[in-house]
Amino acid sequence: MKLFDTLSRRKREFTPLEGNTVRMYTCGPSVYAYSHIGNFRTYLFEDVLVKYLKYKGYRVKRVMNITDVEDKAIVAARKERVSLGKLEGAKIKEFFSDWDALGMERPSVVARASEHVPQMLKLIDRICENGYCRENGDGVYFDVRRFRGYGELKHLKRPRYFGKAKGDDYAREGLWDFRLWKKWGRSDGPVKWKSRFGEGRPGWHIECSAMAMHYLGESFDIHCGGSDNVYPHHENEIAQSEAATGKALANFWIHSRHLTIGKRKMSKRTGNVLYVKQLNKMGIKPRCLRFYLISKRYRSPLDFTKKKFVGEICRCKDAEVIMSRLERLAKGRKVGGAGKRGTRIARKLLREFEGAMDNDLDTGLAFRRIFREIKVAKVLLEEGKLGPVDAREIVDAMDKIDGVLGVLRTK
Ligand SMILES: [Zn+2]
């Protein structure tokens, strides 16, 4: 199985670093706002990846964080005049109700940043002991110029040095010293922890490195996220983790591409966002949305318009109808059929599905092949050339495939 690694910029053969268990870290939601369907494109790709790894016989330990200590959440809580905990409790509940509706498997560990501050402080200490820290009046910063190889993930070419980054996030290309620890300021309100640097709170990037290492070890198999996580977030994760341990944090860095809407990036900042529940009210069921969001490979462009959506969804609906006809035939009283035709179709379905998925999770190709085979089955069905044994074989193969894709079979 090959996967595209953002760091080395090539498809590489995947095997776990140790034994049969894949250790995987996926960046989770910031809970200052609701997650939109663009965010869910990333989580869905990760869900398909987890399920396909399991299909291949691996065990998967997936850790996902919830960023509940950050600038935007603190600002939002103040604006809405509620406590940070209350604001986030409601948003997290909402997030997982969409998550479940989209048929996604929950991660093995969901880690909240606010509950892992001691681990983050320990990691900051290691980074500082190795000489990568710079402390000043408002915080402790990672000195990026000391870390050779900074910018490799993003492919920064001759970057300029801009000094320290003000917030947890920054957009311009360049070198920015980022915050490991923010010293308490009045705007933080009650959000603070004790540390040897004084009271304060961790920076956003250190959260993920500390929690990933805590649950998965200093080096693990796969680190995933959306392409907007590449820089600065993952670039900084690499720098600070390797500065502490001297080891590569992850063997594979995998990023999904943005979902666009009318060719523009769907983002909370521009406001052109769509939500799972909003679409559900418009008659678009979460399972159809799941299909749409994985109907193209995770690295391919995907642009949402209602027209394209309806067109795509028809293919899925047709397949579903044929599958239930096959199911009825398989369960019916009619006997006979040696099953040769069914076996042939079932084998081809599995072989072609695996071929597409082994090539860097090409779900687009997998669906095209599946729909083609289902059409073949439909013609044979209409000509009366399939018996119950044939139907059973095809249905069983589809069940196996749909254990990964989760869109073609209603159960
Ligand atoms: Zn992260």
Side-chain angles (χ1 to χ4, degrees):
M1 175 186 189
K2 283 192 168 148
L3 292 169
F4 185 85
D5 169 38
T6 311
L7 188 60
S8 57
R9 285 171 186 73
R10 61 189 175 88
K11 276 188 224 168
R12 290 166 45 214
E13 192 62 38
F14 175 79
T15 41
L17 292 170
E18 268 172 44
N20 198 43
T21 301
V22 179
R23 288 167 295 150
M24 177 170 162
Y25 188 86
T26 58
C27 284
S30 294
V31 287
Y32 71 94
Y34 294 115
S35 294
H36 53 70
I37 64 167
N39 301 128
F40 279 108
R41 184 186 190 193
T42 303
Y43 302 128
L44 277 166
F45 128 71
E46 291 162 352
D47 186 62
V48 170
L49 174 58
V50 167
K51 287 174 178 165
Y52 191 61
L53 287 165
K54 288 186 176 174
Y55 176 102
K56 303 277 288 180
Y58 296 118
R59 290 172 49 137
V60 180
K61 182 174 182 184
R62 175 185 181 185
V63 178
M64 184 178 80
N65 69 301
I66 289 185
T67 300
D68 60 355
V69 186
E70 55 148 13
D71 297 347
K72 288 173 194 142
I74 293 169
V75 171
R78 275 187 27 219
K79 226 186 197 167
E80 293 182 27
R81 291 171 189 272
V82 291
S83 71
L84 189 60
K86 200 164 177 196
L87 171 102
E88 290 173 344
K91 302 254 168 46
I92 291 169
K93 215 174 138 200
E94 200 56 30
F95 174 74
F96 279 112
S97 97
D98 287 350
W99 181 284
D100 295 340
L102 289 168
M104 291 196 276
E105 195 175 304
R106 297 273 186 117
S108 328
V109 178
V110 175
R112 289 178 73 149
S114 59
E115 290 162 4
H116 297 80
V117 177
Q119 287 87 341
M120 295 170 203
L121 282 166
K122 235 190 225 163
L123 185 60
I124 295 172
D125 276 343
R126 286 177 74 184
I127 297 165
C128 293
E129 276 160 24
N130 292 346
Y132 292 91
C133 290
R134 208 156 63 76
E135 187 182 349
N136 61 22
D138 59 358
V140 181
Y141 287 81
F142 185 92
D143 190 347
V144 293
R145 285 176 301 182
R146 300 226 36 202
F147 184 76
R148 277 186 58 198
Y150 188 87
E152 247 170 52
L153 188 70
K154 166 80 175 165
H155 223 176
L156 290 177
K157 284 176 195 149
R158 277 181 255 121
R160 256 179 66 204
Y161 179 69
F162 291 100
K164 66 178 188 182
K166 282 199 187 77
D168 287 332
D169 203 357
Y170 43 95
R172 233 179 331 162
E173 283 211 5
L175 299 180
W176 298 84
D177 288 345
F178 58 91
R179 207 157 54 189
L180 297 167
W181 186 256
K182 180 189 178 297
K183 291 183 184 173
W184 186 82
R186 208 175 288 165
S187 62
D188 292 318
V191 185
K192 59 184 175 185
W193 285 264
K194 285 196 177 86
S195 81
R196 70 179 174 90
F197 313 105
E199 287 185 324
R201 62 181 166 95
W204 168 38
H205 312 294
I206 198 77
E207 293 180 4
C208 282
S209 290
M211 293 192 286
M213 284 190 211
H214 178 65
Y215 290 104
L216 301 171
E218 290 179 355
S219 283
F220 50 90
D221 297 292
I222 301 174
H223 196 313
C224 292
S227 55
D228 53 343
N229 286 144
V230 171
Y231 187 80
H233 186 45
H234 290 169
E235 192 74 63
N236 291 351
E237 270 197 58
I238 290 175
Q240 66 200 1
S241 309
E242 293 185 15
T245 66
K247 294 177 201 160
L249 182 65
N251 192 19
F252 279 81
W253 288 86
I254 307 178
H255 296 97
S256 71
R257 191 161 167 158
H258 290 141
L259 176 71
T260 52
I261 172 163
K263 297 274 154 79
R264 282 174 63 222
K265 185 190 159 194
M266 190 176 288
S267 110
K268 285 171 198 156
R269 271 178 215 166
T270 49
N272 61 337
V273 289
L274 289 168
Y275 299 96
V276 177
K277 287 191 178 64
Q278 178 191 3
L279 290 172
N280 199 5
K281 274 188 200 142
M282 288 158 64
I284 294 173
K285 295 275 163 275
R287 203 162 57 93
C288 297
L289 187 58
R290 177 182 172 101
F291 165 68
Y292 184 76
L293 292 173
I294 63 170
S295 62
K296 297 262 165 8
R297 185 197 255 157
Y298 70 98
R299 289 193 290 121
S300 304
L302 181 64
D303 188 52
F304 187 96
T305 62
K306 187 116 197 240
K307 203 174 149 199
K308 277 186 210 160
F309 181 83
V310 171
E312 275 296 303
I313 225 65
C314 287
R315 297 197 301 153
C316 191
K317 285 252 158 68
D318 289 349
E320 215 181 296
V321 171
I322 300 162
M323 286 316 299
S324 34
R325 280 171 61 190
L326 285 167
E327 176 96 70
R328 276 201 302 278
L329 176 61
K331 281 188 181 157
R333 282 165 186 235
K334 218 174 123 190
V335 285
K340 265 192 189 153
R341 286 196 181 98
T343 309
R344 206 160 51 229
I345 292 173
R347 282 199 187 140
K348 199 170 174 198
L349 268 168
L350 292 171
R351 193 176 59 240
E352 296 206 326
F353 167 70
E354 288 166 20
M357 297 295 278
D358 281 344
N359 181 17
D360 191 28
L361 291 189
D362 195 344
T363 47
L365 180 61
F367 277 119
R368 282 202 299 283
R369 288 174 167 179
I370 291 164
F371 293 146
R372 195 189 56 211
E373 280 319 297
I374 289 179
K375 255 190 208 155
V376 171
K378 185 187 174 198
V379 173
L380 291 172
L381 195 63
E382 281 164 0
E383 290 172 351
K385 287 181 182 161
L386 290 183
V389 182
D390 293 301
R392 180 83 271 148
E393 297 262 356
I394 300 168
V395 168
D396 284 350
M398 278 308 299
D399 277 343
K400 212 173 160 212
I401 290 170
D402 215 39
V404 177
L405 301 174
V407 291
L408 293 156
R409 306 269 290 130
T410 29
K411 289 226 185 95

